[in-house]
Amino acid sequence: MPTRLLVHALVREDGTVDAGELYTVAGLLGMTDQQVRLCVKRLVTEGRFTQEGRGRKATLRAVADVTGSLAPDAAYVRHAYRQDAGLAPWDGTWHLFAFAVPEARRTARDALREHLLHLGAAPVQGGLYVTANDVTGLVEAQARHLGVLDTLSHASSTDLRVGGVTDPRALAAALWPLSEIAERYERLAAFAGSRLARLTEGPEPSSAERLTTAVELAAHFTAAMGPDPLLPPELLPAPWPGSRARHLAAAYWAALDGTGTAGAAPAPRLFALYDEALRPADSDG
């Protein structure tokens, strides 16, 4: 885990990071004090944090909200769990986006493309992207922000053909790297499963150990979820390892959260995010 990611993970609700806690958790993760010092120095130089005090007695204060650098958006995670629970069925509609931004506005063109990919769209051919989820509002908002809304076209269809492929599952397999996404989920499942067994069978972890393993879970979860376009289950192989991995992650998080002690220091903001996002889905959220 990058040291920078660890610092971001330990930002508390009031925007501060306790340096003593940072060094302790970093040590448990195999990081050296020198790594931490250099990372903190860079973050302060970049203007992302200010520092009060020195060494383990210092307090870092985030200049801006950096929680999102570690954890996926809560609404995105929530949607994944609703899909797993069968509460977000696919309506069979594909959403297509095309744009032709001139070379003179290359930066805006690249930003729009990256936004589409971030939202789970897959390239069909030059300037044409498709997704199974309706992200039209988000794409148009970004295009408007970039000043290229006039270059964006959108269409929806229940009859998508790429070459000679028309079957929805076959299209999904051809357009998205499902095997790579599945491998990331297998790694998450292995981590969460092994740590869940250790947590339930072993002694109760200390506060530092609990925080450390929570950060590890968040990092593994992000590595798996980040590249996932969250295709509807109707388009995925069955069984899909993403569902099992997310189930194990939620079970591990619940067990880990239950080991907290009364009167402990406020948890980092990522705890609040995951507590909300991993809450069992109900009929309407």
Side-chain angles (χ1 to χ4, degrees), residues 119-130:
L119 292 173
V124 178
Q125 57 189 50
L128 179 63
Y129 295 79
V130 64

Side-chain angles (χ1 to χ4, degrees), residues 32-50:
T32 66
D33 286 2
Q34 179 68 0
Q35 282 179 271
V36 176
R37 282 193 292 271
L38 290 175
C39 181
V40 168
K41 183 178 180 180
R42 285 193 295 269
L43 290 170
V44 171
T45 300
E46 292 171 9
R48 298 179 184 275
F49 288 84
T50 59

Side-chain angles (χ1 to χ4, degrees), residues 122-123 162 165 168-178:
V162 178
V165 181
R169 284 182 183 266
L171 283 168
L175 291 169
W176 284 274
L178 298 185

Side-chain angles (χ1 to χ4, degrees), residues 58-208:
T59 297
L60 306 179
R61 187 174 300 277
V63 175
D65 186 355
V66 294
T67 305
S69 64
L70 177 73
D73 180 79
Y76 171 80
V77 176
R78 188 76 169 156
H79 181 67
Y81 279 91
R82 286 181 57 79
Q83 285 184 326
D84 294 341
L87 300 175
W90 188 45
D91 62 3
T93 302
W94 298 99
H95 299 270
L96 296 107
F97 302 90
F99 58 91
V101 182
E103 180 65 22
R105 309 193 65 184
R106 182 175 183 177
T107 300
R109 182 185 64 199
D110 292 346
L112 182 57
R113 180 179 62 249
E114 289 303 314
H115 188 65
L116 279 161
L117 295 174
H118 176 71
L119 292 173
V124 178
Q125 57 189 50
L128 179 63
Y129 295 79
V130 64
T131 177
N133 296 311
D134 187 1
V135 295
T136 306
L138 296 173
V139 175
E140 289 183 344
Q142 177 70 348
R144 185 178 296 106
H145 170 72
L146 294 169
V148 294
L149 182 60
D150 59 326
T151 72
L152 177 69
S153 299
H154 165 252
S156 59
S157 174
T158 58
D159 181 24
L160 177 64
R161 180 188 298 271
V162 178
V165 181
T166 59
D167 176 72
R169 284 182 183 266
L171 283 168
L175 291 169
W176 284 274
L178 298 185
S179 60
E180 295 177 17
I181 296 169
E183 288 175 5
R184 294 187 182 97
Y185 277 119
E186 294 288 4
R187 289 194 288 271
L188 171 61
F191 173 82
S194 64
R195 292 304 176 91
L196 180 60
R198 183 187 305 178
L199 187 66
T200 54
E201 297 171 3
E204 183 172 312
S206 66
S207 295

